[in-house]
Amino acid sequence: MANREVLNFVIKEKSKPGPKKIAIAKEVIQRAVGKIRISDIVVTPFEVLDKYVQCPDYNTNVTKEDYMFINSKLLAPLLPTLSGRALRILSYIWFILRPNSNVVNFTMRNIYSMYGISENTNIVSNVGELERVNLVRRTNKIGYYIINHNIFFKGNLNKFADKYRELYSLTDIYVDSMGGIVIDTNKGKNYHNVKRMENVISLKDFEKENTIKVCKDGNLIGGKPVFATYSPR
């Protein structure tokens, strides 16, 4: 059996003198209380709303980590524009995303292994596809990517937003010359000509860039395709 990190809880029992220690797996405790770890939250170039009024309440006591929330209205128009490899990377991100987190860590080798892709295949550009449509953003830390929590998220968005403001409300966002969001502050602001990011990517900006084309006759029957360019052929 693999080693597991445990937390010691002290429980006093009336029938016995002195406390009794019970070892409980750390992941069990975190799941039970819905704890948000600071290491799971990094500065983000994507807008954090004051309140997610219409977002479902993700109860960590009853909801399995297999489930996540997706803004289907904003995501659906993008999916047909992405290559198959980009979709594989996106699905892998969904697979490894932790609850109440806005950052994932993976390597290209993880993708090769998961989907049986040859390691001679260059799929870095396919990650770039996800960046261009603002679903993820690279960071200045190799293998770490920030997700657009407004489009897909696993956890309680309102708790995440509260914790984010507590941690980063007064923090400026910096971008290096490679386009990576600076999350590794150990490298300092002189790393790759870092510059301050002026504006975050708002939900309105995202929706404006990815608006569904409206059919001429107002319905899906006999009109132009909604998610594709019309061709008479």
Side-chain angles (χ1 to χ4, degrees):
M1 180 179 294
N3 293 328
R4 303 172 70 188
E5 186 177 358
V6 298
L7 298 178
N8 290 325
F9 278 70
V10 177
I11 299 178
K12 292 185 178 180
E13 299 181 348
K14 292 182 180 179
S15 58
K16 295 181 180 180
K20 179 180 179 181
K21 290 187 177 180
I22 300 178
I24 302 175
K26 184 177 181 179
E27 59 267 26
V28 174
I29 299 299
Q30 289 177 341
R31 178 178 175 81
V33 301
K35 182 179 179 181
I36 298 178
R37 297 182 299 183
I38 294 177
S39 59
D40 287 338
I41 301 177
V42 299
V43 292
T44 180
F46 304 112
E47 179 183 24
V48 178
L49 301 181
D50 291 334
K51 193 71 175 178
Y52 290 88
V53 179
Q54 297 178 332
C55 182
D57 183 21
Y58 187 103
N59 187 334
T60 54
N61 293 322
V62 297
T63 307
K64 292 184 178 180
E65 295 181 7
D66 302 342
Y67 297 92
M68 63 183 295
F69 299 134
I70 291 177
N71 188 327
S72 57
K73 181 180 178 181
L74 296 180
L75 181 63
L78 291 179
L79 297 183
T81 70
L82 299 175
S83 68
R85 289 175 184 165
L87 289 172
R88 287 181 178 183
I89 295 172
L90 181 61
S91 64
Y92 182 75
I93 290 173
W94 292 346
F95 181 76
I96 65 173
L97 181 62
R98 295 188 300 269
N100 297 316
S101 177
N102 70 334
V103 62
V104 291
N105 175 26
F106 65 90
T107 65
M108 295 303 108
R109 181 165 292 182
N110 296 140
I111 308 296
Y112 299 142
S113 177
M114 180 99 173
Y115 294 108
I117 302 173
S118 170
E119 293 197 17
N120 294 324
T121 305
N122 182 8
I123 62 174
V124 176
S125 61
N126 302 121
V127 179
E129 288 184 57
L130 302 180
E131 289 188 88
R132 284 192 293 274
V133 294
N134 289 318
L135 290 178
V136 303
R137 279 293 298 269
R138 72 184 65 189
T139 71
N140 72 327
K141 193 171 183 179
I142 297 176
Y144 284 78
Y145 298 87
I146 302 169
I147 68 159
N148 189 337
H149 58 275
N150 292 312
I151 310 304
F152 60 89
F153 192 74
K154 187 182 292 183
N156 189 310
L157 259 177
N158 283 305
K159 286 185 178 179
F160 164 80
D162 290 342
K163 191 64 179 180
Y164 184 88
R165 284 191 294 272
E166 179 184 328
L167 293 171
Y168 302 115
S169 62
L170 301 178
T171 303
D172 290 328
I173 301 172
Y174 289 88
V175 184
D176 67 14
S177 62
M178 302 298 291
I181 304 299
V182 176
I183 64 171
D184 188 354
T185 56
N186 292 327
K187 293 181 178 179
K189 294 181 181 179
N190 294 324
Y191 178 71
H192 284 316
N193 300 319
V194 165
K195 63 179 180 180
R196 183 174 175 271
M197 184 175 179
E198 297 297 331
N199 299 304
V200 298
I201 302 167
S202 69
L203 269 171
K204 289 183 178 180
D205 293 335
F206 187 96
E207 190 169 11
K208 183 179 179 181
E209 292 295 324
N210 304 290
T211 302
I212 298 177
K213 296 179 178 64
V214 180
C215 297
K216 278 188 175 180
D217 58 2
N219 62 65
L220 301 182
I221 302 176
K224 290 185 177 181
V226 175
F227 298 144
T229 303
Y230 175 75
S231 173
R233 296 181 181 179

